[in-house]
């Protein structure tokens, strides 16, 4: 019986992915506990801290199919944590009391934290793959529409012309920064935990640091400099990273929604029969993926804040803040997977209407080119004076519903310096795209 949007049989494919849900599933998490206990036994036998026979026996039982999950639930509800339940079951599966050497010198949080890091590693790999695909889709759009004029907007009002390639390249630059952040944070986050009751490894009177180093190496993780049981900046950084990625995906979805408005019609989400239709208005073609992106990333941002709350932990082992991570980290990753999936779908099939973009540029009959005219007149009559003059003529054009070109050409102060042809050139959007193309090329070149 599913109670959350992530596990809903109806919605799970919209708000998350099967791959990410597996990463944070009970089964995968429990197998991670077993992987760590297996690695710990292997390393400690190698160091001579436990008998090799015991290690071999422990290893033979560190598979999920030997764990009674129903019993584990009961043990967890009774004890409060799942680790002791797993350890008890493995111990009881072993012959001749060899299982007494399982979990040697470890504490519950060592296994839980390290398992979380292993899950984070798998989750980040999925995020990285989706970011790479999104980057490729954005790069294609930026390249194809490098010189496709569209109106830039400021405070939801028409501003000056840009290009659609420029808009895509701006988002692409953010995605590439996220990919860089992801590579950097792995060095800080993919770190194991094996420190014992209060972090000092007092439980092992010999081979303590060697066990820690060997365990981390066996799992492919970095060895910590010091215990991080209640030093949680690493986990919070993961949340912050997901929040940042979500912000960029949210920006994408916001612009797509606005550009899909009937009065704008510049881009459309990919079309499939019936997608985005209304139950009562047959003409509707609603944005769908963009709405789901917006909803998902909004929750991820709240979860990022919750992970920062979890940093405020008491003493050497905390009473409550740690459990915040158990609640929000899986959901943050799962929702982010859904947002990434929907963003990739939008970008790879985005329908771009270049004619509509040009129509919207021309909508004001030249008013959006007023800055170009001001700068063109500046050398003759001064920039500020030109600003005020063009401002008044724009107001007149709006009031009298006349093309700005006609009013400019008829004004004696302007006609004394530039003719109608020169004014028409100033009002041509293709002549006022600034360095849009150069900037697009710079972003594309940075991809290597």
């Amino acid at each position: 019986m599913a109670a959350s949007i992530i596990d809903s049989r109806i919605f799970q494919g919209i708000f998350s992915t099967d791959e990410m849900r597996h990463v944070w599933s009970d089964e995968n998490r429990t197998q991670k506990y077993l992987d760590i206990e297996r690695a710990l036994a292997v390393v400690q036998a190698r160091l001579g801290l436990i008998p090799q026979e015991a290690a071999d026996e422990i290893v033979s039982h560190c598979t999920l199919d030997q764990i009674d999950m129903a019993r584990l639930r009961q043990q967890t509800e009774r004890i409060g944590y799942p680790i002791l339940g797993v350890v008890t079951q493995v111990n009881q599966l072993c012959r001749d009391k060899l299982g007494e050497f399982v979990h040697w010198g470890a504490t519950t949080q060592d296994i839980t934290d390290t398992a979380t890091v292993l899950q984070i590693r798998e989750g980040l790999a999925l995020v990285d793959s989706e970011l790479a695909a999104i980057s490729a889709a954005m790069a294609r759009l930026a390249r194809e529409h490098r010189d496709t004029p569209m109106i830039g907007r400021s405070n939801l009002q028409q501003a000056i012309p840009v290009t659609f390639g420029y808009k895509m390249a701006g988002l692409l630059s953010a995605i590439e920064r996220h990919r860089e952040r992801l590579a950097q944070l792995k060095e800080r986050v993919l770190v194991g935990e094996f420190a014992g009751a209060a972090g000092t490894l007092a439980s092992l009177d010999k081979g303590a640091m060697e066990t820690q180093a060997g365990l981390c190496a066996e799992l492919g993780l970095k060895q910590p400099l010091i215990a991080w049981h209640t030093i949680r900046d690493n986990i919070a950084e993961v949340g912050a990273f997901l929040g940042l990625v979500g912000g960029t995906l949210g920006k994408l979805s916001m612009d797509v929604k606005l550009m899909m408005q009937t009065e704008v019609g510049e881009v459309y989400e990919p079309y499939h029969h019936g997608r985005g239709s209304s139950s009562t208005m047959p003409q509707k073609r609603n944005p769908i993926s963009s709405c789901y992106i917006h909803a998902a990333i909004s929750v991820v941002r709240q979860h990022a804040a919750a992970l920062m709350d979890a940093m405020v932990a008491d003493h050497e082992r905390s009473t409550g803040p740690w459990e915040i991570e158990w609640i929000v980290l899986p959901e943050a990753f799962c929702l982010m997977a859904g947002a990434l999936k929907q963003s990739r779908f939008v970008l790879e099939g985005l329908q771009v209407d270049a004619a509509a973009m040009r129509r919207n540029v021309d909508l004001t009959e030249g008013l959006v080119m007023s800055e170009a005219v001001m700068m063109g007149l500046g050398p003759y009559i001064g920039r500020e004076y030109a600003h005020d003059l063009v401002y008044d003529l724009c107001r007149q054009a709006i009031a009298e519903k006349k093309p700005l070109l006609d009013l400019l050409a008829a004004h004696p102060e302007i006609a004394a310096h530039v003719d109608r042809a020169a004014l028409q050139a100033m009002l041509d959007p293709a002549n006022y795209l600034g360095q849009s193309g150069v900037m697009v090329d710079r972003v594309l070149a940075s991809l290597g």
Side-chain angles (χ1 to χ4, degrees):
M1 180 175 63
S4 76
I5 204 82
I6 290 170
D7 291 320
S8 164
R9 285 178 294 175
I10 297 172
F11 289 109
Q12 63 183 225
I14 290 175
F15 284 98
S16 192
T17 65
D18 290 343
E19 294 80 6
M20 191 64 84
R21 289 172 61 247
H22 168 73
V23 169
W24 297 98
S25 66
D26 287 342
E27 291 77 12
N28 192 48
R29 181 174 57 252
T30 304
Q31 183 59 62
K32 293 293 183 283
Y33 299 156
L34 294 166
D35 291 344
I36 297 162
E37 297 290 1
R38 179 204 62 78
L40 181 59
V42 167
V43 169
Q44 290 181 326
R46 188 185 303 147
L47 293 171
L49 301 180
I50 68 171
Q52 184 64 54
E53 183 182 16
D56 293 341
E57 182 67 11
I58 291 167
V59 167
S60 73
H61 296 294
C62 285
T63 57
L64 186 64
D65 60 345
Q66 298 184 67
I67 298 297
D68 183 338
M69 295 296 284
R71 182 186 174 202
L72 181 58
R73 173 183 172 175
Q74 294 172 351
Q75 292 171 305
T76 302
E77 290 175 352
R78 176 172 55 84
I79 298 165
Y81 307 98
I83 301 303
L84 182 53
V86 171
V87 170
T88 297
Q89 289 197 39
V90 172
N91 185 3
Q92 292 174 351
L93 288 166
C94 293
R95 60 179 174 83
D96 303 329
K97 294 190 176 181
L98 293 173
E100 293 295 331
F101 289 98
V102 70
H103 200 68
W104 197 256
T107 192
T108 289
Q109 192 168 354
D110 291 339
I111 309 304
T112 305
D113 280 350
T114 304
T116 297
V117 170
L118 294 175
Q119 289 175 285
I120 287 173
R121 181 168 67 185
E122 292 179 355
L124 290 178
L126 295 175
V127 171
D128 195 23
S129 176
E130 287 293 271
L131 286 175
I134 287 171
S135 174
M138 285 182 172
R140 176 183 59 80
L141 288 167
R143 190 176 296 110
E144 290 178 359
H145 295 282
R146 176 188 185 275
D147 302 315
T148 302
M150 66 172 295
I151 193 64
R153 295 174 172 94
S154 170
N155 292 318
L156 293 179
Q157 305 297 303
Q158 291 202 349
I160 64 172
V162 296
T163 70
F164 185 61
Y166 168 83
K167 180 183 280 287
M168 285 294 103
L171 288 164
L172 173 58
S173 69
I175 293 296
E176 286 302 302
R177 286 192 293 275
H178 296 321
R179 297 179 71 190
E180 183 180 356
R181 290 183 182 103
L182 177 51
Q184 293 169 346
L185 71 82
K186 287 179 182 179
E187 289 295 306
R188 294 183 291 274
V189 171
L190 300 185
V191 178
E193 178 84 289
F194 181 75
T200 64
L201 272 177
S203 54
L204 295 178
D205 59 356
K206 62 177 181 177
M209 298 308 292
E210 292 82 359
T211 296
Q212 186 188 75
L215 175 62
C216 291
E218 191 77 15
L219 297 170
L221 301 174
K222 287 182 64 177
Q223 182 181 8
L225 296 175
I226 192 170
W228 49 276
H229 287 147
T230 52
I231 309 297
R232 312 304 287 186
D233 60 290
N234 51 349
I235 305 300
E237 183 177 6
V238 174
F241 166 73
L242 295 177
L244 287 170
V245 173
T248 299
L249 302 183
K251 159 66 175 169
L252 167 68
S253 71
M254 179 66 76
D255 280 5
V256 170
K257 285 186 292 183
L258 292 173
M259 294 169 74
M260 275 187 70
Q261 290 181 107
T262 306
E263 297 83 355
V264 180
E266 294 173 342
V267 302
Y268 294 94
E269 290 184 2
Y271 176 74
H272 298 292
H273 182 73
R275 184 172 179 82
S277 60
S278 164
S279 63
T280 189
M281 293 172 283
Q283 86 282 4
K284 293 287 291 297
R285 182 176 174 182
N286 295 317
I288 297 298
S289 292
S290 296
C291 296
Y292 292 137
I293 295 165
H294 192 143
I297 63 96
S298 296
V299 177
V300 171
R301 281 203 305 275
Q302 305 310 310
H303 286 347
L307 289 170
M308 292 183 184
D309 278 344
M311 293 177 65
V312 187
D314 44 296
H315 298 306
E316 283 61 57
R317 298 286 294 281
S318 69
T319 53
W322 183 39
E323 284 80 357
I324 294 173
E325 297 173 3
W326 304 6
I327 299 168
V328 303
L329 196 60
E331 188 164 298
F333 266 98
C334 286
L335 289 172
M336 180 51 57
L340 287 163
K341 171 186 175 180
Q342 297 288 353
S343 298
R344 179 178 179 179
F345 172 77
V346 168
L347 289 163
E348 290 182 344
L350 191 69
Q351 297 177 5
V352 180
D353 190 336
M357 290 178 176
R358 180 57 197 239
R359 183 179 66 245
N360 289 333
V361 170
D362 295 335
L363 186 66
T364 63
E365 296 189 281
L367 293 179
V368 296
M369 300 303 298
S370 62
E371 182 188 64
V373 175
M374 176 192 74
M375 295 303 295
L377 294 176
Y380 302 106
I381 60 176
R383 194 209 66 87
E384 187 172 358
Y385 183 76
H387 173 279
D388 293 342
L389 178 58
V390 174
Y391 176 89
D392 290 339
L393 291 175
C394 286
R395 302 284 79 71
Q396 184 181 347
I398 294 169
E400 298 177 5
K401 294 183 172 51
K402 292 182 178 178
L404 180 61
L405 174 60
D406 292 346
L407 296 178
L408 291 168
H411 197 283
E413 288 186 83
I414 296 174
H417 302 286
V418 293
D419 59 18
R420 187 181 181 91
L423 290 168
Q424 191 151 17
M426 293 180 191
L427 291 170
D428 185 350
N431 295 332
Y432 205 65
L433 296 174
Q435 301 302 308
S436 294
V438 173
M439 293 177 183
V440 171
D441 294 341
R442 283 166 58 87
V443 172
L444 292 174
S446 73
L447 303 180

